[in-house]
Amino acid sequence: MNNLNGTYSVDKFIESALYDKSYGYYSKKNPFGKQGDFVTAPLISPLFSEMVLVWVISYWINLGKPKEFSLVELGPGNGSFCKTFCKNLKKFPSFENSIKIFLLERSKKLIKIQKNTINNKKVTWIKNLDQIKNGPILFFGNEFFDSIPIKQFEVKNFSVYEKFVNFKNHKFNKFIFKEVSAKTLKKLKKLGLLRKKGTIEYPQKGLEILESIVKKITKFDGGILLIDYGYLKAQGNDTLQSLKSHKKNIFYNNVGKADITYLVNFELLSKFLTSQKLFLNKIVNQSFFLKKLGILERAEIVSKNANFKEKADLYYRLERLLSEKKMGSLFKVIFASKNKTNFNLGFK
Ligand SMILES: C[S@@+](CC[C@H](N)C(=O)[O-])C[C@H]1O[C@@H](n2cnc3c(N)ncnc32)[C@H](O)[C@@H]1O
């Protein structure tokens, strides 16, 4: 049972619904896989994580094979990505000697699951980024940003109103809209989010986290690779979505029992990272990125000794990752780094 009673901004509401210690979605259950509410790319096929491993190794080579190199995975979920990553490290001994892996996860429940799944001495769980003391560092997040609460605003008659969710006796009652202050207007304008009509989505918390990541990159060298579902140009849509047992749910219902996410604004991420003086490659979609890394060639090798059923399963999973109608084009990939580099694997 949730303890919601009163009025909450959308981000405060999502924060409680997902992360409250007693009833929050991520605090209580394992949402991943068939028995859960959704699947992500590392759970669909290990080839996804293998391709990211190839990318990370190439990045390390491009940096001049530093003797110490840190990878920070942001929001590791059920640990699938890291498990595949670690399993394949053995094939690359000099990289394995250099890399340290850190996992940043806020859900205690998921940390337990990750520890069981990954079971590898190279991996350290961290509570915050202060625990990262040297570099270069590569931050990696798959579907990390879409799980960080956002604020929502509606624009009506050229005025901007923040959206609030009102709860009565633990149940949704109504939405409330409050006109924003001049200070908030200025902030939205500065980020290029102001528009004439429709919905504005502002990932305030996400940008705060990104800022602390950028500080580490600027200090110790390195970069950030993010994969998430999202768009390149804001259309003024309300993109909040909620899933329960793989089915659509209205986001204010089933509090704590359903996942809540939104589409990531990649134009905003790109502008923000550039404003923080990082260098950016162009943004590409997941299908482009994975194909450039050789996922189809890898699938061919893996399927050589597979029987018909295994082959069918492998290509069915690949199709989910790559198809334009599925994850292939909705998911985008962005990479930003401290130094301007000609390293453009996966992006060109
Ligand atoms: C949608 S899941 C993605 C999981 C995983 N990356 C995958 O691809 O399967 C989001 C993950 O981010 C974690 N998370 C959300 N906000 C976080 C924060 N501020 N710090 C650390 N982890 C966070 C969640 O607990 C969860 O593990």
Side-chain angles (χ1 to χ4, degrees):
M1 168 78 121
N2 69 66
N3 65 2
L4 298 172
N5 219 0
T7 301
Y8 306 85
S9 56
V10 170
D11 56 336
K12 289 266 158 37
F13 166 74
I14 300 174
E15 173 68 28
S16 309
L18 295 185
Y19 302 107
D20 183 89
K21 286 202 173 74
S22 66
Y23 60 83
Y25 180 72
Y26 280 104
S27 314
K28 265 192 354 204
K29 68 180 267 186
N30 179 1
F32 299 92
K34 257 193 189 156
Q35 314 301 325
D37 299 302
F38 58 87
V39 285
T40 56
L43 279 81
I44 291 174
S45 169
L47 295 191
F48 171 86
S49 309
E50 285 185 19
M51 291 306 109
V52 177
L53 170 64
V54 168
W55 190 93
V56 177
I57 295 176
S58 310
Y59 178 60
W60 170 75
I61 292 172
N62 188 267
L63 285 176
K65 300 187 181 177
K67 281 212 170 66
E68 286 193 12
F69 174 75
S70 299
L71 174 74
V72 180
E73 190 189 352
L74 306 162
N78 74 351
S80 288
F81 168 78
C82 191
K83 186 184 175 183
T84 308
F85 191 95
C86 289
K87 196 177 121 199
N88 286 288
L89 268 182
K90 287 185 216 87
K91 297 175 191 158
F92 309 96
S94 59
F95 178 63
E96 189 182 20
N97 283 337
S98 302
I99 191 173
K100 279 193 190 139
I101 303 171
F102 298 96
L103 301 188
L104 183 71
E105 172 58 64
R106 69 177 289 188
S107 156
K108 284 192 181 136
K109 167 102 188 159
L110 287 180
I111 290 177
K112 257 193 203 158
I113 294 172
Q114 290 157 12
K115 285 190 171 160
N116 274 333
T117 309
I118 299 164
N119 190 21
N120 189 301
K121 289 202 176 82
K122 280 203 98 53
V123 179
T124 310
W125 276 259
I126 52 172
K127 287 206 165 67
N128 57 58
L129 297 184
D130 293 340
Q131 288 173 260
I132 309 283
K133 304 265 189 242
N134 51 13
I137 318 165
L138 178 71
F139 291 87
F140 170 67
N142 183 59
E143 289 204 42
F144 173 67
F145 266 85
D146 68 46
S147 65
I148 313 250
I150 49 161
K151 285 183 169 294
Q152 281 193 322
F153 302 87
E154 289 299 324
V155 187
K156 279 176 205 148
N157 301 325
F158 301 103
S159 295
V160 181
Y161 301 86
E162 181 162 5
K163 189 172 180 176
F164 291 79
V165 199
N166 179 263
F167 268 69
K168 226 181 201 173
N169 300 325
H170 317 292
K171 285 218 159 68
F172 173 75
N173 180 36
K174 60 181 175 181
F175 289 122
I176 292 172
F177 294 90
K178 297 182 192 173
E179 193 161 1
V180 302
S181 64
K183 197 174 152 204
T184 304
L185 268 184
K186 213 170 145 191
K187 207 184 284 172
L188 294 175
K189 189 167 180 214
K190 195 173 162 208
L191 291 165
L193 289 172
L194 266 193
R195 50 185 311 114
K196 290 195 175 115
K197 57 180 182 183
T199 305
I200 295 172
E201 297 190 327
Y202 171 30
Q204 186 180 37
K205 181 79 192 158
L207 293 187
E208 277 167 26
I209 295 174
L210 206 52
E211 199 173 354
S212 60
I213 289 172
V214 170
K215 274 193 186 133
K216 288 286 165 185
I217 294 174
T218 309
K219 187 163 178 193
F220 294 123
D221 196 4
I224 177 165
L225 177 72
L226 292 172
I227 305 180
D228 223 314
Y229 49 100
Y231 50 86
L232 295 177
K233 194 117 202 92
Q235 304 290 339
N237 296 328
D238 173 350
T239 75
L240 265 198
Q241 46 186 285
S242 175
L243 279 184
K244 185 173 181 299
S245 308
H246 299 266
K247 291 202 180 89
K248 279 188 181 164
N249 170 65
I250 300 175
F251 82 92
Y252 49 73
N253 288 338
N254 293 302
V255 176
K257 296 190 182 96
D259 187 31
I260 303 173
T261 59
Y262 68 100
L263 296 182
V264 172
N265 181 344
F266 275 83
E267 183 188 40
L268 176 66
L269 289 190
S270 153
K271 267 190 190 161
F272 183 79
L273 290 165
T274 311
S275 75
Q276 301 283 311
K277 311 253 176 326
L278 293 196
F279 291 94
L280 248 88
N281 266 313
K282 66 176 192 220
I283 297 163
V284 294
N285 67 33
Q286 175 167 292
S287 163
F288 184 94
F289 181 75
L290 294 175
K291 281 181 183 163
K292 285 285 170 185
L293 280 156
I295 197 165
L296 293 174
E297 291 79 359
R298 177 75 183 133
E300 218 173 295
I301 293 168
V302 174
S303 68
K304 267 209 174 108
N305 296 321
N307 61 33
F308 178 75
K309 201 173 157 219
E310 289 163 345
K311 252 186 209 169
D313 182 59
L314 186 131
Y315 280 99
Y316 166 74
R317 288 166 183 276
L318 216 56
E319 214 257 331
R320 283 185 74 177
L321 291 181
L322 302 178
S323 156
E324 297 290 309
K325 286 192 191 120
K326 294 178 182 153
M327 296 167 82
S329 68
L330 186 56
F331 276 70
K332 312 273 185 297
V333 190
I334 189 170
F335 171 59
S337 60
K338 177 176 175 181
N339 296 312
K340 202 171 168 65
T341 161
N342 56 5
F343 179 72
N344 51 27
L345 181 66
F347 292 87
K348 209 174 170 192

